[in-house]
Amino acid sequence: QVQLVESGGGLVQAGGSLRLSCAASGSTFSSYAMGWFRQAPGKERDFVASITWGGGNKYYADSVKGRFTISRENAENTVYLQMNNLKPEDTAVYYCARDKFPQRIGRRSRDDYAYWGQGTQVTVSS
């Protein structure tokens, strides 16, 4: 069973930065694409960013492009989301997720992910 544990959320002022981490259990982390999603109150869970299993390709939602950076450290079974120039509209619970199948490029659809973390709250004040 794969377990994903997010950390790094918190309260920050607009224009500030946060770095989210997602630690994964299991020995096959490096074989799977990983993604970050977010869900604001009353809204659907939306794609934020994803990274290919090898880390060579990264994909972003238009709303975060240029401000957020996804990365992974396979030796540590961890994926990161560096968030800069945060805006109040970035306020949400952020979730990391692992792809259903190995060795694919990063995916944008929730349906492509089999395992999810419990989420970490990010609140950006204006």
Side-chain angles (χ1 to χ4, degrees), residues 30-33 52-54 99 101-107:
S30 62
S31 297
Y32 290 84
T52 310
W53 62 281
D99 196 353
F101 301 105
Q103 299 183 352
R104 299 202 297 181
I105 63 172
R107 323 300 290 187

Side-chain angles (χ1 to χ4, degrees), residues 66-83:
R67 301 188 297 122
F68 291 10
T69 302
I70 189 171
S71 62
R72 65 189 299 159
E73 180 55 65
N74 285 341
E76 297 179 358
N77 279 16
T78 302
V79 62
Y80 301 97
L81 186 68
Q82 177 67 44
M83 305 186 295

Side-chain angles (χ1 to χ4, degrees), residues 23-121:
S25 65
S27 60
T28 58
F29 174 81
S30 62
S31 297
Y32 290 84
M34 297 293 294
W36 284 97
F37 289 74
R38 66 186 181 186
Q39 188 167 18
K43 297 189 176 181
E44 292 188 348
R45 190 171 299 188
D46 292 331
F47 169 77
V48 175
S50 62
I51 186 167
T52 310
W53 62 281
N57 295 94
K58 305 172 183 181
Y59 308 88
Y60 298 94
D62 288 343
S63 59
V64 307
K65 203 171 293 184
R67 301 188 297 122
F68 291 10
T69 302
I70 189 171
S71 62
R72 65 189 299 159
E73 180 55 65
N74 285 341
E76 297 179 358
N77 279 16
T78 302
V79 62
Y80 301 97
L81 186 68
Q82 177 67 44
M83 305 186 295
N84 297 329
N85 190 23
L86 283 160
K87 304 176 180 180
E89 52 263 43
D90 294 319
T91 295
V93 177
Y94 283 70
Y95 299 89
C96 70
R98 200 205 78 174
D99 196 353
K100 285 182 178 178
F101 301 105
Q103 299 183 352
R104 299 202 297 181
I105 63 172
R107 323 300 290 187
R108 293 176 177 265
S109 170
R110 294 192 305 267
D111 294 340
D112 285 317
Y113 293 86
Y115 298 96
W116 295 83
Q118 83 289 347
T120 185
Q121 176 70 46

Side-chain angles (χ1 to χ4, degrees), residues 13-31:
Q13 288 189 331
S17 298
L18 284 173
R19 189 194 196 200
L20 306 184
S21 299
C22 172
S25 65
S27 60
T28 58
F29 174 81
S30 62
S31 297

